[in-house]
Amino acid sequence: MDVHVRDLRYFLAVATHGNFTRAAEALYVSQPALSKQIRALERQLRTRLFDRQHRDVRLTRAGQALVPRAEEIVGAWDSARRA
């Protein structure tokens, strides 16, 4: 199954906010729905993207490697939509 741009947006929001609740609020989605999508993304990629510590999360090495690529893909999609 392919990863969707929405999944990458969700990933980037969690990476930026360092917290699922704050990321969910910024995205206007529920925290359980966001958590579910991130778990699904991790399953698809077959790697953990975040180390979860109570309410805070930190990027794993794989998560750190994904950030610039996700930003590039999301940016390219946004540019294509505007064009």
Side-chain angles (χ1 to χ4, degrees), residues 11-29:
F11 162 74
L12 289 171
V14 176
T16 299
H17 293 281
N19 178 286
F20 278 89
T21 301
R22 288 191 300 267
E25 289 170 356
L27 293 165
Y28 301 102
V29 299

Side-chain angles (χ1 to χ4, degrees), residues 11-12 14 23 27 29 33-35 38 44 47 50 52 58 63-64 67 74 78 80-81 83:
F11 162 74
L12 289 171
V14 176
L27 293 165
V29 299
L34 176 59
S35 294
I38 295 296
Q44 286 178 299
T47 190
F50 297 101
R52 291 149 174 89
R58 295 186 189 271
Q64 291 171 357
V67 167
V74 170
D78 290 343
R81 278 191 17 217

